Amino acid sequence: MKNVFSIKDAIQKIEHFCAYQERCHEEVVQKLRSMKMDSEEIDTIMVHLISDNFLNEERFACSFARGKHRIKHWGKIRIVNELKSKKITQTLINIALKEITPEEYAATFNTLAERHWESIRETNMLKKRKKFCDYMLRRGFESNLVYEKARSFENWNTDLTD
């Protein structure tokens, strides 16, 4: 593979990179650095990509939030943290979170919670609760939702045994 790219070659390669899937500015800059481009060339290419609508941070953030919630079943906390790690602004993060409706969020949370609670094969209720809570918190759901759901499952289980 060539180590040195002309601006024209780099633009063509990066356009393909951005067209393949939504990218944030940070990913594109990293890719350009890996192609041994200097800062001035990176700036020129970034301006070209933004003006030709290959790069759009808002579109990326919205797509990222929708996809991670619907496909990977991530909660809002995890989505926010991942977007922050990609250097997305708080304003764009707030816009992206509006892509997930409260009804869809609640349905995903409840489905995932029920599925995971049933899958835990633990007889000790404290251990089962800890495993459940750890899993749901790792997924990025709010702690108040997680603990409330764990309590409701525990109460439901004790009602069945009485």
Side-chain angles (χ1 to χ4, degrees), residues 5-7 11 13 19 23-24 28 37 39 47 67-68 76-77 85 95 99 104 113 120-121 134 145 147 161:
F5 289 90
S6 69
I7 293 263
I11 286 175
K13 191 170 178 68
R23 307 284 179 177
C24 67
V28 174
M37 306 302 282
S39 329
V47 167
K68 295 302 181 188
K76 289 181 180 176
I77 294 171
S85 77
I95 291 169
E99 292 285 309
E104 180 186 9
I120 301 172
R121 297 287 163 237
D134 288 350
L145 290 176
Y147 295 131
T161 56

Side-chain angles (χ1 to χ4, degrees), residues 69-70 73-74 103-113 141:
H69 179 70
R70 291 182 183 151
H73 308 297
W74 284 3
E103 298 79 26
E104 180 186 9
Y105 191 73
T108 302
F109 173 77
N110 289 324
T111 305
L112 187 65
F141 289 99

Side-chain angles (χ1 to χ4, degrees), residues 21-35:
Q21 79 179 41
E22 288 294 337
R23 307 284 179 177
C24 67
H25 291 15
E26 188 63 21
E27 290 172 321
V28 174
V29 169
Q30 292 288 315
K31 181 75 171 173
L32 288 167
R33 283 195 186 120
S34 75
M35 294 166 64

Side-chain angles (χ1 to χ4, degrees), residues 56-82:
N56 182 327
E57 290 260 86
E58 182 178 345
R59 193 175 61 208
F60 167 78
C62 291
S63 171
F64 184 89
R66 270 191 321 269
K68 295 302 181 188
H69 179 70
R70 291 182 183 151
I71 297 165
K72 290 206 169 190
H73 308 297
W74 284 3
K76 289 181 180 176
I77 294 171
R78 176 114 184 237
I79 292 170
V80 167
N81 290 339
E82 293 291 328

Side-chain angles (χ1 to χ4, degrees), residues 117 119-129 131:
W117 183 264
S119 73
I120 301 172
R121 297 287 163 237
E122 181 65 61
T123 52
N124 181 329
M125 198 50 77
L126 284 176
K127 286 182 181 177
K128 184 170 185 168
R129 179 186 181 143
K131 285 181 181 183

Side-chain angles (χ1 to χ4, degrees), residues 74-75 78 116 131 133-141:
W74 284 3
R78 176 114 184 237
H116 191 66
K131 285 181 181 183
C133 291
D134 288 350
Y135 176 81
M136 295 302 285
L137 292 171
R138 248 190 338 272
R139 286 295 188 141
F141 289 99

